[in-house]
Amino acid sequence: MGNNRIANSPALAKIRKFGGVMSGMVMPNLGAFVGWGLMAAIFIPNGWFPNEKLGEMVGPILNYLFPLLIGYTAGYNIHGQRGGVIAAFATMGVIVGSNITMISGAMVMGPLSSWLLKKFDQKVQHKIKPGFEMFVNNFSLGIIGLLCAIFAYMTVGPVIRLLIVIITSGVNWCTTHNLLPLLSVFMAPAQVLFLNNVVNHGILAPIGFAQVPELGKSIMFLVDTNNGPLLGTLMAIALFGRGRAKKTAPMAMFIAGIAGIGEVYFPFVLANPLLVFATMGGLAVSLFLQVIMDGGLIGVASPGSLIAIAMMTPKSAIVANLVSISAGFVVSCTLGWLLLKISPGSEDDNEENPVIVGGRQVKSVSDFVPGMTVAGSAGKSIQRILVACDSGMGSSAMGASVLRKRLKEEGLESITVINDSANRVGKEYDIVITLSGLLERAKLSCENTDTTFMTVNNFIKLSDYDETVAFIKHRNQVDNNEATV
């Protein structure tokens, strides 16, 4: 219970929300990153099938397209189409103002420029005379975008370049002195607390892309996406765990290893925090072997599955990556076994998940008897449900699919179920379902005090939606009774 209080603390919720904003810039564009990674792995001089002509696309895509995509997406998330346009325009300032890949710069200028334009639009939206809307909209975007691009060119680009050089030098120093495994001390807890996107997309990936043109690969791409250690921890739970965790760990292994959705692993460690040391140990060993054997990937492995890792592995790193990931699996599984002997966890893992209705927390849906009016939701049948995870693309997509199947079995298929990030809850949903570690972040982003929040231990387990189905039936029954009266 203490662990859940830490995971749900307001401070961590705000940090995770910031990480969600960062991942929201990158995640929608990961298909392009995968395409670039495959192109680089195949056509660069040390690739699988070197081709000088086709390899000419690798540099421009990395240095121009990626920052523009990230900047545009960041702007679009904040202020729609206008936000995306001004963000892309401002991002050109950091691209031209530096001689390294400006993914980090795009993460700064994209949100900043679109936020400024959004504030301007809010100030003048009711003051524009009819017929002048297009004139004001175009010139405001152009002028603010121009100023932002100049500001980015003069200041943000050089500052980001200096920061990346300093951080890269530190990482290179750690690599030279075989201290890179120390990253596991920070990465393993960050994953469990849903902060992995902050570290991966905000720090590691930009360093990795800066190293690829010179080294042909980067270990930075294998710090967060290396799923060998987390698969080893899940294997230990599947073999030596107890209760529900033991039963669901094998399916979680398949989803994390093949589908690359690492979020399914987090709740297992949140339920038994000691297991984070198993993953930490496995990741440290894996990183050590990658350093001494010269491992790494050519680009971001997304999703972080074994298949994606194999596709992003250059010829020169096949053995190193295979050995390091396998060793990480074995070490974390062994440490997990030892830790489970010390702290096996509860027999049934039946920790209560909070249910928040009308702004107040109750023990369970069973508190509501037929005919009782639920505070904050009277007169509202359930029509729209949101399943929310960290990025809004991986585990929540599976959860939404599982819930649709469950609702169809219960004759409730008319209810709309979608998935999205816990950062984008909005106000149009009647129920929001998420993991307990993301509950505070979802509440922070919700604008509707009548929204009901429910948490699950595992997005893919049908029985975890029992409370949801019971609440829907009760709420819709109350609504039908009121309509009849």
Side-chain angles (χ1 to χ4, degrees), residues 15-58:
I15 296 175
R16 287 195 294 260
K17 184 176 182 178
F18 172 72
V21 170
M22 294 183 68
S23 65
M25 308 179 201
V26 180
M27 296 296 283
N29 300 306
L30 283 178
F33 280 77
V34 171
W36 176 87
L38 292 174
M39 180 185 295
I42 295 171
F43 298 126
I44 63 174
N46 62 338
W48 292 98
F49 303 101
N51 187 298
E52 183 178 353
K53 290 294 183 181
L54 295 177
E56 290 179 354
M57 292 187 288
V58 173

mmCIF file of all heavy atoms in Angstrom, residues 15-58:
data_model
loop_
_atom_site.group_PDB
_atom_site.id
_atom_site.type_symbol
_atom_site.label_atom_id
_atom_site.label_comp_id
_atom_site.label_asym_id
_atom_site.label_seq_id
_atom_site.Cartn_x
_atom_site.Cartn_y
_atom_site.Cartn_z
ATOM 1 N N ILE A 15 5.369 14.815 -12.728
ATOM 2 C CA ILE A 15 6.551 14.424 -13.503
ATOM 3 C C ILE A 15 6.153 13.457 -14.607
ATOM 4 O O ILE A 15 6.604 13.571 -15.752
ATOM 5 C CB ILE A 15 7.606 13.783 -12.582
ATOM 6 C CG1 ILE A 15 8.110 14.808 -11.569
ATOM 7 C CG2 ILE A 15 8.791 13.253 -13.405
ATOM 8 C CD1 ILE A 15 9.062 14.222 -10.541
ATOM 9 N N ARG A 16 5.278 12.498 -14.271
ATOM 10 C CA ARG A 16 4.837 11.541 -15.278
ATOM 11 C C ARG A 16 4.018 12.235 -16.360
ATOM 12 O O ARG A 16 4.087 11.869 -17.538
ATOM 13 C CB ARG A 16 4.016 10.422 -14.623
ATOM 14 C CG ARG A 16 4.860 9.453 -13.813
ATOM 15 C CD ARG A 16 4.072 8.190 -13.520
ATOM 16 N NE ARG A 16 2.944 8.452 -12.652
ATOM 17 C CZ ARG A 16 2.930 8.225 -11.345
ATOM 18 N NH1 ARG A 16 3.998 7.750 -10.755
ATOM 19 N NH2 ARG A 16 1.862 8.468 -10.621
ATOM 20 N N LYS A 17 3.259 13.257 -15.975
ATOM 21 C CA LYS A 17 2.512 13.998 -16.974
ATOM 22 C C LYS A 17 3.455 14.700 -17.935
ATOM 23 O O LYS A 17 3.237 14.718 -19.153
ATOM 24 C CB LYS A 17 1.596 15.025 -16.302
ATOM 25 C CG LYS A 17 0.706 15.767 -17.292
ATOM 26 C CD LYS A 17 -0.259 16.696 -16.589
ATOM 27 C CE LYS A 17 -1.167 17.393 -17.609
ATOM 28 N NZ LYS A 17 -2.156 18.286 -16.967
ATOM 29 N N PHE A 18 4.542 15.259 -17.393
ATOM 30 C CA PHE A 18 5.549 15.881 -18.246
ATOM 31 C C PHE A 18 6.151 14.838 -19.181
ATOM 32 O O PHE A 18 6.354 15.094 -20.377
ATOM 33 C CB PHE A 18 6.642 16.511 -17.373
ATOM 34 C CG PHE A 18 7.823 17.009 -18.147
ATOM 35 C CD1 PHE A 18 7.726 18.141 -18.937
ATOM 36 C CD2 PHE A 18 9.036 16.339 -18.089
ATOM 37 C CE1 PHE A 18 8.812 18.597 -19.653
ATOM 38 C CE2 PHE A 18 10.128 16.787 -18.792
ATOM 39 C CZ PHE A 18 10.016 17.923 -19.581
ATOM 40 N N GLY A 19 6.442 13.659 -18.636
ATOM 41 C CA GLY A 19 6.958 12.591 -19.485
ATOM 42 C C GLY A 19 5.969 12.166 -20.541
ATOM 43 O O GLY A 19 6.347 11.862 -21.674
ATOM 44 N N GLY A 20 4.679 12.183 -20.176
ATOM 45 C CA GLY A 20 3.662 11.844 -21.161
ATOM 46 C C GLY A 20 3.582 12.860 -22.283
ATOM 47 O O GLY A 20 3.351 12.512 -23.439
ATOM 48 N N VAL A 21 3.777 14.145 -21.930
ATOM 49 C CA VAL A 21 3.791 15.184 -22.966
ATOM 50 C C VAL A 21 4.956 14.951 -23.921
ATOM 51 O O VAL A 21 4.827 15.064 -25.144
ATOM 52 C CB VAL A 21 3.897 16.583 -22.313
ATOM 53 C CG1 VAL A 21 4.153 17.652 -23.371
ATOM 54 C CG2 VAL A 21 2.624 16.903 -21.545
ATOM 55 N N MET A 22 6.117 14.606 -23.364
ATOM 56 C CA MET A 22 7.290 14.348 -24.202
ATOM 57 C C MET A 22 7.065 13.142 -25.104
ATOM 58 O O MET A 22 7.365 13.175 -26.302
ATOM 59 C CB MET A 22 8.526 14.135 -23.326
ATOM 60 C CG MET A 22 8.943 15.364 -22.547
ATOM 61 S SD MET A 22 10.442 15.098 -21.584
ATOM 62 C CE MET A 22 11.639 14.935 -22.886
ATOM 63 N N SER A 23 6.529 12.069 -24.530
ATOM 64 C CA SER A 23 6.289 10.879 -25.348
ATOM 65 C C SER A 23 5.202 11.132 -26.378
ATOM 66 O O SER A 23 5.209 10.547 -27.462
ATOM 67 C CB SER A 23 5.898 9.689 -24.464
ATOM 68 O OG SER A 23 4.657 9.922 -23.821
ATOM 69 N N GLY A 24 4.263 12.060 -26.055
ATOM 70 C CA GLY A 24 3.216 12.404 -27.006
ATOM 71 C C GLY A 24 3.751 13.081 -28.252
ATOM 72 O O GLY A 24 3.100 13.080 -29.297
ATOM 73 N N MET A 25 4.930 13.691 -28.146
ATOM 74 C CA MET A 25 5.569 14.268 -29.330
ATOM 75 C C MET A 25 6.192 13.199 -30.213
ATOM 76 O O MET A 25 6.243 13.338 -31.433
ATOM 77 C CB MET A 25 6.685 15.245 -28.918
ATOM 78 C CG MET A 25 6.315 16.313 -27.935
ATOM 79 S SD MET A 25 7.775 17.318 -27.556
ATOM 80 C CE MET A 25 7.294 18.039 -25.995
ATOM 81 N N VAL A 26 6.678 12.137 -29.579
ATOM 82 C CA VAL A 26 7.476 11.140 -30.290
ATOM 83 C C VAL A 26 6.655 9.940 -30.747
ATOM 84 O O VAL A 26 6.778 9.489 -31.891
ATOM 85 C CB VAL A 26 8.648 10.659 -29.402
ATOM 86 C CG1 VAL A 26 9.485 9.610 -30.128
ATOM 87 C CG2 VAL A 26 9.522 11.841 -28.991
ATOM 88 N N MET A 27 5.793 9.439 -29.876
ATOM 89 C CA MET A 27 5.110 8.180 -30.143
ATOM 90 C C MET A 27 4.331 8.159 -31.455
ATOM 91 O O MET A 27 4.395 7.179 -32.204
ATOM 92 C CB MET A 27 4.181 7.834 -28.976
ATOM 93 C CG MET A 27 4.883 7.574 -27.665
ATOM 94 S SD MET A 27 5.957 6.125 -27.694
ATOM 95 C CE MET A 27 4.733 4.829 -27.558
ATOM 96 N N PRO A 28 3.594 9.220 -31.814
ATOM 97 C CA PRO A 28 2.860 9.163 -33.094
ATOM 98 C C PRO A 28 3.766 9.073 -34.320
ATOM 99 O O PRO A 28 3.302 8.708 -35.402
ATOM 100 C CB PRO A 28 2.067 10.482 -33.103
ATOM 101 C CG PRO A 28 1.954 10.869 -31.672
ATOM 102 C CD PRO A 28 3.237 10.428 -31.051
ATOM 103 N N ASN A 29 5.038 9.408 -34.155
ATOM 104 C CA ASN A 29 5.964 9.419 -35.287
ATOM 105 C C ASN A 29 6.895 8.210 -35.323
ATOM 106 O O ASN A 29 7.813 8.156 -36.148
ATOM 107 C CB ASN A 29 6.822 10.693 -35.236
ATOM 108 C CG ASN A 29 5.992 11.953 -35.309
ATOM 109 O OD1 ASN A 29 5.194 12.122 -36.221
ATOM 110 N ND2 ASN A 29 6.157 12.831 -34.340
ATOM 111 N N LEU A 30 6.653 7.250 -34.436
ATOM 112 C CA LEU A 30 7.598 6.140 -34.335
ATOM 113 C C LEU A 30 7.641 5.292 -35.600
ATOM 114 O O LEU A 30 8.654 4.655 -35.888
ATOM 115 C CB LEU A 30 7.254 5.269 -33.122
ATOM 116 C CG LEU A 30 7.679 5.862 -31.776
ATOM 117 C CD1 LEU A 30 7.254 4.959 -30.631
ATOM 118 C CD2 LEU A 30 9.177 6.103 -31.723
ATOM 119 N N GLY A 31 6.570 5.265 -36.359
ATOM 120 C CA GLY A 31 6.595 4.534 -37.628
ATOM 121 C C GLY A 31 7.660 5.083 -38.560
ATOM 122 O O GLY A 31 8.372 4.321 -39.233
ATOM 123 N N ALA A 32 7.777 6.409 -38.597
ATOM 124 C CA ALA A 32 8.816 7.024 -39.426
ATOM 125 C C ALA A 32 10.200 6.687 -38.888
ATOM 126 O O ALA A 32 11.145 6.452 -39.663
ATOM 127 C CB ALA A 32 8.619 8.544 -39.474
ATOM 128 N N PHE A 33 10.343 6.652 -37.564
ATOM 129 C CA PHE A 33 11.630 6.287 -36.974
ATOM 130 C C PHE A 33 12.006 4.854 -37.341
ATOM 131 O O PHE A 33 13.167 4.554 -37.615
ATOM 132 C CB PHE A 33 11.568 6.432 -35.451
ATOM 133 C CG PHE A 33 11.734 7.844 -34.966
ATOM 134 C CD1 PHE A 33 10.688 8.752 -35.051
ATOM 135 C CD2 PHE A 33 12.926 8.275 -34.426
ATOM 136 C CE1 PHE A 33 10.828 10.054 -34.616
ATOM 137 C CE2 PHE A 33 13.086 9.579 -33.979
ATOM 138 C CZ PHE A 33 12.034 10.473 -34.072
ATOM 139 N N VAL A 34 11.017 3.969 -37.309
ATOM 140 C CA VAL A 34 11.283 2.575 -37.678
ATOM 141 C C VAL A 34 11.706 2.494 -39.141
ATOM 142 O O VAL A 34 12.661 1.789 -39.495
ATOM 143 C CB VAL A 34 10.029 1.708 -37.424
ATOM 144 C CG1 VAL A 34 10.225 0.315 -38.011
ATOM 145 C CG2 VAL A 34 9.751 1.609 -35.927
ATOM 146 N N GLY A 35 10.995 3.219 -40.024
ATOM 147 C CA GLY A 35 11.353 3.214 -41.439
ATOM 148 C C GLY A 35 12.763 3.729 -41.667
ATOM 149 O O GLY A 35 13.531 3.155 -42.452
ATOM 150 N N TRP A 36 13.117 4.801 -40.962
ATOM 151 C CA TRP A 36 14.483 5.334 -41.084
ATOM 152 C C TRP A 36 15.505 4.334 -40.557
ATOM 153 O O TRP A 36 16.569 4.147 -41.155
ATOM 154 C CB TRP A 36 14.604 6.655 -40.322
ATOM 155 C CG TRP A 36 16.006 7.200 -40.316
ATOM 156 C CD1 TRP A 36 16.576 7.991 -41.253
ATOM 157 C CD2 TRP A 36 17.001 6.974 -39.317
ATOM 158 N NE1 TRP A 36 17.869 8.278 -40.911
ATOM 159 C CE2 TRP A 36 18.164 7.660 -39.722
ATOM 160 C CE3 TRP A 36 17.030 6.247 -38.116
ATOM 161 C CZ2 TRP A 36 19.341 7.658 -38.973
ATOM 162 C CZ3 TRP A 36 18.204 6.245 -37.373
ATOM 163 C CH2 TRP A 36 19.325 6.942 -37.797
ATOM 164 N N GLY A 37 15.185 3.705 -39.430
ATOM 165 C CA GLY A 37 16.120 2.732 -38.869
ATOM 166 C C GLY A 37 16.370 1.569 -39.815
ATOM 167 O O GLY A 37 17.512 1.118 -39.976
ATOM 168 N N LEU A 38 15.304 1.101 -40.459
ATOM 169 C CA LEU A 38 15.480 0.016 -41.429
ATOM 170 C C LEU A 38 16.304 0.486 -42.624
ATOM 171 O O LEU A 38 17.183 -0.244 -43.117
ATOM 172 C CB LEU A 38 14.099 -0.460 -41.901
ATOM 173 C CG LEU A 38 13.242 -1.184 -40.857
ATOM 174 C CD1 LEU A 38 11.852 -1.458 -41.414
ATOM 175 C CD2 LEU A 38 13.900 -2.477 -40.426
ATOM 176 N N MET A 39 16.039 1.695 -43.088
ATOM 177 C CA MET A 39 16.803 2.242 -44.210
ATOM 178 C C MET A 39 18.283 2.347 -43.868
ATOM 179 O O MET A 39 19.161 1.971 -44.662
ATOM 180 C CB MET A 39 16.252 3.619 -44.578
ATOM 181 C CG MET A 39 16.968 4.296 -45.746
ATOM 182 S SD MET A 39 16.341 5.976 -46.009
ATOM 183 C CE MET A 39 14.644 5.611 -46.491
ATOM 184 N N ALA A 40 18.565 2.863 -42.658
ATOM 185 C CA ALA A 40 19.953 2.999 -42.239
ATOM 186 C C ALA A 40 20.621 1.638 -42.069
ATOM 187 O O ALA A 40 21.762 1.430 -42.494
ATOM 188 C CB ALA A 40 20.032 3.791 -40.933
ATOM 189 N N ALA A 41 19.900 0.703 -41.439
ATOM 190 C CA ALA A 41 20.478 -0.617 -41.207
ATOM 191 C C ALA A 41 20.801 -1.339 -42.511
ATOM 192 O O ALA A 41 21.736 -2.134 -42.577
ATOM 193 C CB ALA A 41 19.517 -1.457 -40.368
ATOM 194 N N ILE A 42 20.049 -1.039 -43.560
ATOM 195 C CA ILE A 42 20.237 -1.747 -44.837
ATOM 196 C C ILE A 42 21.238 -1.044 -45.742
ATOM 197 O O ILE A 42 22.137 -1.679 -46.300
ATOM 198 C CB ILE A 42 18.887 -1.896 -45.568
ATOM 199 C CG1 ILE A 42 17.940 -2.788 -44.759
ATOM 200 C CG2 ILE A 42 19.095 -2.495 -46.960
ATOM 201 C CD1 ILE A 42 16.523 -2.818 -45.295
ATOM 202 N N PHE A 43 21.160 0.296 -45.849
ATOM 203 C CA PHE A 43 21.860 0.981 -46.941
ATOM 204 C C PHE A 43 23.107 1.770 -46.556
ATOM 205 O O PHE A 43 23.845 2.181 -47.451
ATOM 206 C CB PHE A 43 20.882 1.930 -47.655
ATOM 207 C CG PHE A 43 19.713 1.228 -48.281
ATOM 208 C CD1 PHE A 43 18.417 1.617 -47.993
ATOM 209 C CD2 PHE A 43 19.912 0.168 -49.161
ATOM 210 C CE1 PHE A 43 17.335 0.970 -48.566
ATOM 211 C CE2 PHE A 43 18.829 -0.489 -49.734
ATOM 212 C CZ PHE A 43 17.545 -0.087 -49.440
ATOM 213 N N ILE A 44 23.345 2.054 -45.267
ATOM 214 C CA ILE A 44 24.553 2.810 -44.930
ATOM 215 C C ILE A 44 25.789 1.945 -45.206
ATOM 216 O O ILE A 44 25.674 0.723 -45.369
ATOM 217 C CB ILE A 44 24.533 3.274 -43.456
ATOM 218 C CG1 ILE A 44 24.518 2.072 -42.505
ATOM 219 C CG2 ILE A 44 23.357 4.185 -43.195
ATOM 220 C CD1 ILE A 44 24.650 2.466 -41.052
ATOM 221 N N PRO A 45 26.990 2.555 -45.265
ATOM 222 C CA PRO A 45 28.195 1.808 -45.652
ATOM 223 C C PRO A 45 28.446 0.530 -44.864
ATOM 224 O O PRO A 45 28.933 -0.448 -45.425
ATOM 225 C CB PRO A 45 29.318 2.827 -45.424
ATOM 226 C CG PRO A 45 28.651 4.146 -45.683
ATOM 227 C CD PRO A 45 27.253 4.001 -45.150
ATOM 228 N N ASN A 46 28.119 0.514 -43.561
ATOM 229 C CA ASN A 46 28.311 -0.719 -42.785
ATOM 230 C C ASN A 46 26.997 -1.460 -42.550
ATOM 231 O O ASN A 46 26.866 -2.239 -41.604
ATOM 232 C CB ASN A 46 28.979 -0.402 -41.436
ATOM 233 C CG ASN A 46 28.142 0.509 -40.567
ATOM 234 O OD1 ASN A 46 27.287 1.228 -41.063
ATOM 235 N ND2 ASN A 46 28.390 0.483 -39.269
ATOM 236 N N GLY A 47 25.991 -1.201 -43.418
ATOM 237 C CA GLY A 47 24.701 -1.863 -43.286
ATOM 238 C C GLY A 47 24.682 -3.234 -43.925
ATOM 239 O O GLY A 47 25.702 -3.761 -44.386
ATOM 240 N N TRP A 48 23.483 -3.819 -43.983
ATOM 241 C CA TRP A 48 23.349 -5.171 -44.510
ATOM 242 C C TRP A 48 23.611 -5.210 -46.013
ATOM 243 O O TRP A 48 24.298 -6.111 -46.505
ATOM 244 C CB TRP A 48 21.938 -5.700 -44.211
ATOM 245 C CG TRP A 48 21.699 -5.925 -42.743
ATOM 246 C CD1 TRP A 48 21.080 -5.085 -41.874
ATOM 247 C CD2 TRP A 48 22.097 -7.068 -41.974
ATOM 248 N NE1 TRP A 48 21.051 -5.611 -40.610
ATOM 249 C CE2 TRP A 48 21.671 -6.840 -40.641
ATOM 250 C CE3 TRP A 48 22.757 -8.251 -42.265
ATOM 251 C CZ2 TRP A 48 21.895 -7.751 -39.620
ATOM 252 C CZ3 TRP A 48 22.967 -9.173 -41.246
ATOM 253 C CH2 TRP A 48 22.554 -8.913 -39.944
ATOM 254 N N PHE A 49 23.065 -4.247 -46.724
ATOM 255 C CA PHE A 49 23.280 -4.180 -48.177
ATOM 256 C C PHE A 49 23.617 -2.730 -48.552
ATOM 257 O O PHE A 49 22.730 -1.969 -48.960
ATOM 258 C CB PHE A 49 22.026 -4.651 -48.936
ATOM 259 C CG PHE A 49 21.587 -6.042 -48.584
ATOM 260 C CD1 PHE A 49 20.528 -6.256 -47.708
ATOM 261 C CD2 PHE A 49 22.253 -7.144 -49.109
ATOM 262 C CE1 PHE A 49 20.135 -7.530 -47.369
ATOM 263 C CE2 PHE A 49 21.862 -8.424 -48.784
ATOM 264 C CZ PHE A 49 20.803 -8.632 -47.906
ATOM 265 N N PRO A 50 24.867 -2.323 -48.392
ATOM 266 C CA PRO A 50 25.252 -0.927 -48.622
ATOM 267 C C PRO A 50 24.866 -0.445 -50.019
ATOM 268 O O PRO A 50 25.040 -1.154 -51.010
ATOM 269 C CB PRO A 50 26.777 -0.965 -48.453
ATOM 270 C CG PRO A 50 27.036 -2.172 -47.609
ATOM 271 C CD PRO A 50 25.998 -3.172 -48.006
ATOM 272 N N ASN A 51 24.329 0.770 -50.070
ATOM 273 C CA ASN A 51 23.948 1.387 -51.341
ATOM 274 C C ASN A 51 24.165 2.893 -51.206
ATOM 275 O O ASN A 51 23.459 3.566 -50.447
ATOM 276 C CB ASN A 51 22.486 1.079 -51.685
ATOM 277 C CG ASN A 51 22.105 1.545 -53.073
ATOM 278 O OD1 ASN A 51 22.155 2.727 -53.382
ATOM 279 N ND2 ASN A 51 21.698 0.606 -53.920
ATOM 280 N N GLU A 52 25.136 3.416 -51.947
ATOM 281 C CA GLU A 52 25.518 4.818 -51.796
ATOM 282 C C GLU A 52 24.366 5.761 -52.128
ATOM 283 O O GLU A 52 24.141 6.759 -51.438
ATOM 284 C CB GLU A 52 26.723 5.115 -52.686
ATOM 285 C CG GLU A 52 27.249 6.537 -52.546
ATOM 286 C CD GLU A 52 28.469 6.777 -53.398
ATOM 287 O OE1 GLU A 52 28.986 5.803 -53.992
ATOM 288 O OE2 GLU A 52 28.907 7.940 -53.459
ATOM 289 N N LYS A 53 23.633 5.480 -53.211
ATOM 290 C CA LYS A 53 22.556 6.362 -53.637
ATOM 291 C C LYS A 53 21.402 6.378 -52.633
ATOM 292 O O LYS A 53 20.941 7.432 -52.192
ATOM 293 C CB LYS A 53 22.049 5.953 -55.018
ATOM 294 C CG LYS A 53 23.025 6.229 -56.161
ATOM 295 C CD LYS A 53 23.209 7.736 -56.336
ATOM 296 C CE LYS A 53 24.114 8.026 -57.528
ATOM 297 N NZ LYS A 53 24.323 9.492 -57.686
ATOM 298 N N LEU A 54 20.902 5.194 -52.302
ATOM 299 C CA LEU A 54 19.782 5.118 -51.367
ATOM 300 C C LEU A 54 20.192 5.582 -49.975
ATOM 301 O O LEU A 54 19.378 6.113 -49.214
ATOM 302 C CB LEU A 54 19.238 3.693 -51.313
ATOM 303 C CG LEU A 54 18.597 3.176 -52.607
ATOM 304 C CD1 LEU A 54 18.158 1.728 -52.448
ATOM 305 C CD2 LEU A 54 17.421 4.048 -53.021
ATOM 306 N N GLY A 55 21.461 5.393 -49.629
ATOM 307 C CA GLY A 55 21.951 5.834 -48.327
ATOM 308 C C GLY A 55 21.977 7.342 -48.166
ATOM 309 O O GLY A 55 22.075 7.851 -47.043
ATOM 310 N N GLU A 56 21.871 8.085 -49.285
ATOM 311 C CA GLU A 56 21.876 9.545 -49.213
ATOM 312 C C GLU A 56 20.638 10.093 -48.499
ATOM 313 O O GLU A 56 20.638 11.241 -48.046
ATOM 314 C CB GLU A 56 21.961 10.135 -50.621
ATOM 315 C CG GLU A 56 23.309 9.923 -51.306
ATOM 316 C CD GLU A 56 23.322 10.496 -52.712
ATOM 317 O OE1 GLU A 56 22.244 10.941 -53.173
ATOM 318 O OE2 GLU A 56 24.391 10.490 -53.338
ATOM 319 N N MET A 57 19.575 9.289 -48.392
ATOM 320 C CA MET A 57 18.363 9.755 -47.715
ATOM 321 C C MET A 57 18.483 9.727 -46.201
ATOM 322 O O MET A 57 17.727 10.402 -45.501
ATOM 323 C CB MET A 57 17.167 8.887 -48.139
ATOM 324 C CG MET A 57 16.749 9.043 -49.594
ATOM 325 S SD MET A 57 15.213 8.155 -49.949
ATOM 326 C CE MET A 57 15.799 6.448 -49.901
ATOM 327 N N VAL A 58 19.425 8.939 -45.683
ATOM 328 C CA VAL A 58 19.513 8.720 -44.238
ATOM 329 C C VAL A 58 19.772 10.016 -43.483
ATOM 330 O O VAL A 58 19.077 10.345 -42.514
ATOM 331 C CB VAL A 58 20.607 7.679 -43.929
ATOM 332 C CG1 VAL A 58 20.827 7.580 -42.418
ATOM 333 C CG2 VAL A 58 20.220 6.322 -44.497
#
